[in-house]
Amino acid sequence: MRGASIYHFARGLAARDLFTTRDLLRFGWGQMIFRISGTEQPDHINAAREAALAFVAGHKVDDLVTLCEEIYDDSMASRIWEGARVLVQRHLNAGQRVWLVTATPVELADIIKRRLGLSGALGTVAESVDGVYTGRLVGDLLHGPAKAQAVRALAKLEDLDLSACTAYSDSYNDLPLLSAVGHPNAVNPDDDLQGYAAAHGWPVHDFRRHRRALTVGLPAAVAGAVAGGVAVGVLRRRRRF
């Protein structure tokens, strides 16, 4: 996705008078720094988390899901990289399962999953009691090492062989996730990930320069997934003999 999904979500909330101008400017500043430096900053991630938790506290889960649906259709659907759509569809057409793994709220991650026809989605989970958000998280923000932990847990639950799996990301912060699979790929990478991928011979898919959808062929024996601006992993069930 062009830009961070959480930022577009915040913009959608602000447009509906549910988010303050100050909050939106804080998100916008983080986006600008990312565009200039090509690197996510931990303090911006933390600011996004705190602002989001403060917003959802006391709101009904069903109401937020409805908002996520509206905002995705209004502000996000058109920002999905076409190359990402093509890459995802190739994996799905090959009968492979595609999972979205993102720091964005799981409610929004699930909508992206359904809109793109993915197999599943993992996202940050906000605690709720009796259908109302408490303002606390269940576990950690799904970012950095937490993504790798979540994928390992999913692999154990689903009986998956991560060495036969592919992961795609645009951020060096997702190095733990990329290193957990047998076939890591960089997509629209930030500067640090670009350098790391080049040094280790990882495939790089760059849709920002209007390249063809794929820069390398897809291995027939592995699974994969992609998202521009968010991390995506594909998990394939281990064969039983």
Side-chain angles (χ1 to χ4, degrees), residues 5-6 45 101-106 122-125 141-143 147 230-231:
S5 56
I6 190 66
I45 296 296
V101 184
T102 173
T104 205
V106 68
L122 301 177
T124 299
V125 179
L141 186 73
L142 202 61
H143 184 260
K147 285 185 181 178
V230 292

Side-chain angles (χ1 to χ4, degrees), residues 65-110:
V65 171
T66 299
L67 282 173
C68 286
E69 294 270 6
E70 294 177 359
I71 293 170
Y72 178 83
D73 291 338
D74 291 346
S75 308
M76 299 184 187
S78 63
R79 296 180 181 274
I80 302 292
W81 294 100
E82 186 57 32
R85 292 181 186 272
V86 171
L87 198 54
V88 165
Q89 196 58 49
R90 289 189 182 184
H91 287 295
L92 292 173
N93 289 345
Q96 298 163 348
R97 288 187 291 162
V98 182
W99 284 75
L100 171 65
V101 184
T102 173
T104 205
V106 68
E107 292 84 1
L108 182 55
D110 188 62

Side-chain angles (χ1 to χ4, degrees), residues 45-64:
I45 296 296
N46 289 333
R49 177 190 62 194
E50 295 304 323
L53 288 175
F55 163 73
V56 301
H59 286 267
K60 295 182 179 179
V61 175
D62 289 346
D63 291 343
L64 185 67

